[in-house]
Amino acid sequence: MKSFDLFVSRFYQGLGFYPGRANQILRTTVACIIVVILSQTLQIPDLALSLIVVFFVTQTNIVVTKLTGLFFIISIALAVATSLLILKVTWDVPFLRILLASLVAFISLFMMRASKYGVIFYLVALIVIFSQSFVDVSSDSEEIIRNILWVWVAMSYAIAVTLIINALFLPSEPEKLLNKTVISQLKHIADLLTPDNELKRKENTLASIGQDLQSLYKLLQYTKSRDRLSSNDHTAQLAMVTMVSELRSLSCHFPVEIINQKSRETALRIKSVCEVMIASLKNQLEPLTPAAINTNAEDTTLREMAKVINNYDQNKKVSYDTHSNPKKKFSFFVPDAFSNKIYVTYALKTLLSALICYIFYTATDWFGIHTIMLTCLVVAQPGLGKTQRKITLRLLGAIAGSIAALIAIVFILPNLTTLFGLLLLSAPIFMFCSWVATGSENISYAGIQMLLTFSLAVLNGFTPVNDLTEVRDRIVGVILGIIIAGLIQTLIKPERNGEVLQLKLAGLMDLMKTSLSMKNAAEDKRGALMVSFKGCEDLATEIALEPTWMKAEGSHDGTCQKLQEILQQAKSMLISTDAVVLWCQQNAPVNPVVGCFIQQNVENLGVIVKRLKTGEKDDNMTLPDLPEGLSKEVSSMLTLLSDSIYSFWLLLHEI
């Protein structure tokens, strides 16, 4: 029940708007309408596939859209060529055809996990499996070849339409999205700095900070790869993103109540600076900071924020040599591609479920549910939590799409006689599905599945539909595929994410250790800590979604409760560690006695990292003695650091 409540909560959160979402919905809807017009006018079959391609290729900005389109063109060509070759070699030997198609699917599924370009091989597996259904429907080789080539045409021309719409008519440039995102985050920071806005500060979580920083870093990277800015403009942009990310990271230290009068005045001065920058960015002017903020605030966080803003003008003038960085060695495979047995197991389980579905629908002579095989490939994800989420989203999307198709076939289509009427019916569906599909990973696939189910039932022919068989077959195929794939993925060597979370937590603790030891002090690790914590929390959410029917009653809830305790303690450690780092930066050089105390805590963090990576429980941890003669504030800060690390270590020993 807790897992379901968590899923519903994440689903609702994913429906909110963010900078660029409305533009992406508009681009997707326009491209879908044009594809419908072309397919119906020129009678290009497989319209449902064309629409799905539009949804997948249309991304947040033009850089990712072009890259996705390129990957799709390569994978579709490779998949069609492979399918034709399999049919040519094995036409007279059905068993050999299935065997060869299974081999190609297995290699593709393995490469999906083992390669850094897994999307290419994933599409190859989907199309090769999908093409086998043509052979079962018809024995005419020419018709089968033509059907496979039409799949190539339907998907390729949809990619071309999508790229034209995204590049020429409604381009979404990453620098514009970055500008909107910076404005949005500056507004959020300004709200947090309002002294009486206690509710906003209570809602300011480490995970939300990590998510905001992730979006900033990604958009900055896309803007750089677009290479449309001059060196000076890029330097100014980098300085702005650096300043906003540091301010957003520091916001985790805000107290819920800002009581001290000097602190309130400083917070209001910093807020006014943020508002000036927002106005400048909205008017597309160079953001100008006012005179340096002189602060005597007792709050360490506000002093550091003032320092960050005061350094902005200086950072704009620094030239960054982007060509001096050594080029990373190209690698096609992930580091553990041939050593991690999980990748082979995943490919075998997914292929097994697809073959079971193939045997079922051919034995029952029910070819209308041939998408049962595709369901097995779609819902099979790395980790049981992701698989369970995909199963839920596919089922919800299929039900919603079937209801929409049922209403359209029974009540609306009998009254439509023109293409314009069909577009009036379809456009709202495209828009709604796009709205869901552009949400977070927790909801996005439901929109795509809804579109697929609706378009297969209503739009896949060239005449008005009056048969409900297609709607029935789609929902039956999805449900049966979900049952078979779910059982296979859960019962045969289930891929749980507990060990992966341990390694992610080890990485987070290692970052804390490096930050606390003051190595590379000039490098700001605060943002990296927030992003790493966000990754740990996302993985814990996936673990909470893992199926529980094979476990003892209440055991999964207990595991989830323990995970929440560990994450809460990790959050406390992160904030305490960063508070000490912040204090050390402002009070350098640090008292040697305090430095020794901090070093002992660094060593304790090393013990935790070793425990998480190796699983050994033999390491002992010594709680360091607090130095004497320190102020009450410093003593309290150092005590929180030491206690939070020791409490986390005790939690680990309970697992």
Side-chain angles (χ1 to χ4, degrees), residues 466-487:
N466 54 19
D467 187 5
L468 296 177
T469 304
E470 190 74 26
V471 178
R472 179 202 65 191
D473 289 349
R474 288 299 147 261
I475 196 68
V476 170
V478 167
I479 291 174
L480 290 177
I482 283 173
I483 292 172
I484 293 172
L487 288 173

Side-chain angles (χ1 to χ4, degrees), residues 1-50:
M1 184 60 68
K2 288 183 179 180
S3 300
F4 179 76
D5 293 342
L6 180 63
F7 174 80
V8 172
S9 173
R10 292 294 178 101
F11 193 95
Y12 178 76
Q13 291 174 7
L15 296 176
F17 275 93
Y18 55 79
R21 186 171 192 175
N23 179 274
Q24 187 176 354
I25 293 172
L26 180 60
R27 285 183 280 123
T28 306
T29 305
V30 170
C32 285
I33 290 173
I34 293 174
V35 164
V36 171
I37 293 173
L38 290 175
S39 291
Q40 293 292 334
T41 304
L42 303 176
Q43 293 199 343
I44 301 173
D46 298 316
L47 176 55
L49 292 180
S50 301

Side-chain angles (χ1 to χ4, degrees), residues 54-73:
V54 170
F55 267 63
F56 275 115
V57 174
T58 304
Q59 297 293 320
T60 54
N61 62 75
I62 187 62
V63 174
V64 188
T65 298
K66 286 183 176 179
L67 191 62
T68 307
L70 176 63
F71 282 159
F72 266 62
I73 289 171

Side-chain angles (χ1 to χ4, degrees), residues 272-482:
S272 67
V273 170
C274 293
E275 290 171 345
V276 169
M277 291 184 176
I278 291 169
S280 300
L281 289 168
K282 281 185 176 179
N283 296 323
Q284 296 186 343
L285 301 174
E286 183 182 359
L288 299 174
T289 55
I293 303 175
N294 295 317
T295 173
N296 294 318
E298 296 180 2
D299 190 273
T300 308
T301 305
L302 293 176
R303 287 204 304 269
E304 185 65 18
M305 292 184 82
K307 179 182 174 183
V308 168
I309 292 175
N310 292 339
N311 290 338
Y312 169 64
D313 277 331
Q314 181 181 352
N315 291 337
K316 285 193 300 182
K317 301 170 185 176
V318 177
S319 72
Y320 298 90
D321 184 7
T322 57
H323 302 287
S324 61
N325 295 329
K327 290 185 178 180
K328 293 183 179 179
K329 186 179 179 181
F330 174 78
S331 176
F332 184 78
F333 295 98
V334 296
D336 61 346
F338 300 104
S339 60
N340 196 337
K341 296 180 181 178
I342 290 178
Y343 301 154
V344 175
T345 305
Y346 165 83
L348 286 173
K349 289 193 299 181
T350 307
L351 178 60
L352 175 62
S353 58
L355 288 176
I356 291 174
C357 290
Y358 179 78
I359 292 171
F360 175 81
Y361 92 79
T362 52
T364 56
D365 199 25
W366 193 355
F367 297 109
I369 62 168
H370 62 268
T371 50
I372 186 175
M373 292 190 301
L374 297 182
T375 297
C376 294
L377 269 66
V378 168
V379 302
Q381 299 292 309
L384 270 183
K386 283 187 176 180
T387 298
Q388 185 71 15
R389 179 171 60 195
K390 208 61 171 281
I391 286 174
T392 306
L393 293 178
R394 188 166 174 84
L395 182 60
L396 290 176
I399 292 173
S402 298
I403 292 173
L406 183 64
I407 294 172
I409 292 171
V410 175
F411 299 106
I412 303 176
L413 285 181
N415 301 314
L416 297 181
T417 57
T418 64
L419 177 58
F420 181 72
L422 185 64
L423 292 176
L424 286 180
L425 166 66
S426 305
I429 301 293
F430 295 155
M431 192 170 292
F432 178 77
C433 292
S434 178
W435 180 34
V436 178
T438 53
S440 65
E441 190 181 7
N442 296 308
I443 71 167
S444 59
Y445 186 74
I448 295 173
Q449 180 59 44
M450 180 181 175
L451 174 80
L452 178 61
T453 306
F454 176 82
S455 56
L456 280 172
V458 177
L459 302 174
N460 225 30
F462 306 112
T463 57
V465 179
N466 54 19
D467 187 5
L468 296 177
T469 304
E470 190 74 26
V471 178
R472 179 202 65 191
D473 289 349
R474 288 299 147 261
I475 196 68
V476 170
V478 167
I479 291 174
L480 290 177
I482 283 173

Side-chain angles (χ1 to χ4, degrees), residues 89 267 299 369 484 583 626 654:
V89 174
D299 190 273
I369 62 168
I484 293 172
W583 180 85
L626 186 69
E654 294 176 8

